[in-house]
Amino acid sequence: GAVVSQHPSRVICKSGTSVKIECRSLDFQATTMFWYRQFPKKSLMLMATSNEGSKATYEQGVEKDKFLINHASLTLSTLTVTSAHPEDSSFYICSARDQGRDTEAFFGQGTRLTVV
Amino acid sequence: QKEVEQNSGPLSVPEGAIASLNCTYSDRGSQSFFWYRQYSGKSPELIMSIYSNGDKEDGRFTAQLNKASQYVSLLIRDSQPSDSATYLCAVRRGGTASKLTFGTGTRLQVTL
């Protein structure tokens, strides 16, 4: 099946620094990738939809200047958490859709971000 | 009213029994329905998708959809301890490029 690789799996950073999370589709091209955030014992909340070659579409309440999304190629999307604060600590998950097979999106392994 | 509602559980069933997980949704325009399994600290894994009313079976799993009642369920037969996880219901209004809306999940515990 299709593989979506997300890196890093865990990261600890200091308040005020920025963290970049990568999401790669390894064996297919993904024109659309989705970024989610999940707090403990809560469901996945969609943050933004990332489209290759264009600006991401952010969900209501998500600060686009804080959560920078870049989808520069058909196999890579990045999420940068800028000026991170402890309340940004969460599990961030990406998913990617195989446009060629029009299948459902596959999830990456997730990134556990802890801001200290 | 939440868009997708699930009982948070935990739902405890003995090994070998049938586990029944339920989900209701508010958007009548929803077209696609999914069940994901999520182990603690891991990302969700797609178990079943269902698009039309009725039942859909895949191995030990059966998804049931009733659009008139805005209800979707997942039955797990012959439950195993390895089935212990959180099960997320998700719905989608449009095509595959559209976003998924998730419920908060039901935690299932299969006891020995």
Side-chain angles (χ1 to χ4, degrees), chain A residues 26-78:
Chain A
L26 297 185
D27 55 357
F28 65 95
Q29 294 184 329
T31 53
T32 305
M33 291 186 176
F34 303 92
W35 286 96
Y36 296 86
R37 178 170 55 184
Q38 186 177 35
F39 292 107
K41 300 190 185 302
K42 301 293 185 183
S43 189
L44 279 74
M45 296 299 296
L46 180 66
M47 299 174 66
T49 302
S50 168
N51 297 296
E52 186 267 337
S54 64
K55 292 183 179 180
T57 302
Y58 289 82
E59 294 299 300
Q60 190 174 11
V62 178
E63 299 176 58
K64 62 180 180 180
D65 294 331
K66 180 169 183 61
F67 299 100
L68 300 179
I69 291 173
N70 185 289
H71 193 159
S73 77
L74 286 171
T75 59
L76 174 64
S77 176
T78 61

